[in-house]
Structures are given as C-alpha cells and as structure tokens.
Amino acid sequence: MLSLLQQAHLMSVPFENLAIHYRITIDLAHSYDKIVLVENKGGFCYQLNGLFYQLLTHNFRSNHLNRKQI
C-alpha cells in the first residue's frame, strides 16, 4: 500500500526546483492550497514531504525522523 501511495505521489505531483529562487512558504496550509486545492502547482521538497507526511499520519502509524548535519 505504501509503495502505491509513493508511486502515485511521484507521478501526480510535480517537483518545483525553481521555487528556491523565490520566497518559499513551508506552512502546511499554504502548501496544501498551492499544490492540491487552488493553484494545482508542484512544490519544493519541504512542501511535498510535509504534505506526504500528513497523508501518512492520517492513514498510517508513522514516525517523523529529522536529520541533523554535524
């Protein structure tokens, strides 16, 4: 089931790598409006991963892992 969700996400939501040159909002509500509801655009990695994490937490038991560079 998880692999199907990942595949659907990758095939239907575009990754915007030019967004880093503009002001990026990582707010979840803004990302949802931008990518899903209103603008139907792609998102930067933080926006896409945040929305996918929310999808997982609503449907599965999941853990949030952070990475820290030393």
Side-chain angles (χ1 to χ4, degrees):
M1 176 74 144
L2 179 59
S3 62
L4 292 174
L5 279 173
Q6 288 174 312
Q7 182 70 23
H9 179 75
L10 289 171
M11 299 305 290
S12 61
V13 182
F15 177 77
E16 274 185 9
N17 60 353
L18 296 175
I20 60 171
H21 299 289
Y22 304 104
R23 184 178 166 149
I24 300 170
T25 304
I26 305 175
D27 177 67
L28 184 62
H30 176 267
S31 297
Y32 185 77
D33 286 345
K34 175 187 172 192
I35 297 167
V36 179
L37 287 183
V38 179
E39 299 177 35
N40 200 25
K41 292 184 177 180
F44 192 63
C45 60
Y46 298 115
Q47 295 168 325
L48 297 178
N49 291 337
L51 285 177
F52 195 72
Y53 174 72
Q54 289 300 313
L55 171 75
L56 293 178
T57 57
H58 287 305
N59 295 295
F60 302 99
R61 194 178 91 213
S62 62
N63 295 318
H64 191 172
L65 301 176
N66 289 323
R67 179 178 178 260
K68 182 177 179 181
Q69 203 169 16
I70 299 174

